[in-house]
Amino acid sequence: MGMTGRRWCGAALLSLVAATGACTHGEADAAALTNGGDAARGKELIRAYGCGSCHTIPRLAGAVSTVGPNLQGIATRAYIAGVLPNNPDNMMRWIIDPPGIDDKTAMPNLHVGAAEARDIAAYLYTLQ
Ligand code: HEC
């Protein structure tokens, strides 16, 4: 009886550790690897589209605005804008058309193309 209880507890603890890992670093690293975008190009596109006029973005000169959320740590956040599970496909969807996902959002549609969104997402996924 006691033995069974302890074994069950150990198993539960192990799966909890695994689940926690998957929700934080493991998932973010996997996302960066599977996105396939070019992060260096993404950084240039972020500059060109003026994302820094609304966001503080690490390692981007002049991107210090506080209109939208700070994008530091976006790679490890569970949700994008509180509405989409954070994964590469959803990050691209958000970048391409935020009001199409949440009609109350203050982030405008900046007419970012799909290939560009892929590169931008690749840069965002370096922000652990
Ligand atoms: C006019 C201001 C504005 C511009 C320009 C802008 N954003 Fe946003 N962004 C916002 C706001 C406001 C939010 C919060 C949206 C919400 O929660 O509904 C947001 C949310 C986000 C999020 C989700 C953040 C989180 O913490 O979940 C990402 C990612 C993002 N923006 C990326 C970008 C990128 C990349 C660009 C440039 C292509 C960009 N934004 C341009 C205002 C802006």
Side-chain angles (χ1 to χ4, degrees):
M1 170 62 185
M3 279 289 283
T4 316
R6 213 173 302 144
R7 216 175 299 141
W8 179 85
C9 184
L13 197 68
L14 257 182
S15 53
L16 186 70
V17 167
T20 310
C23 290
T24 55
H25 251 73
E27 195 175 52
D29 292 348
L33 287 172
T34 54
N35 167 267
D38 179 337
R41 204 167 163 265
K43 186 178 180 181
E44 290 316 310
L45 288 163
I46 285 172
R47 199 192 312 278
Y49 276 101
C51 312
S53 64
C54 287
H55 292 284
T56 293
I57 305 169
R59 303 193 303 276
L60 201 76
V64 292
S65 176
T66 55
V67 174
N70 188 328
L71 297 183
Q72 168 67 52
I74 186 68
T76 59
R77 221 158 291 159
Y79 289 94
I80 299 165
V83 291
L84 286 177
N86 189 358
N87 62 49
D89 279 351
N90 282 340
M91 184 62 84
M92 285 178 62
R93 286 177 58 205
W94 177 260
I95 293 165
I96 290 169
D97 185 12
I101 288 158
D102 178 358
D103 61 8
K104 290 196 180 67
T105 189
M107 180 164 156
N109 183 334
L110 297 166
H111 305 285
V112 177
E116 294 173 320
R118 184 178 299 280
D119 291 342
I120 289 172
Y123 183 77
L124 296 181
Y125 281 132
T126 68
L127 306 178
Q128 303 275 337

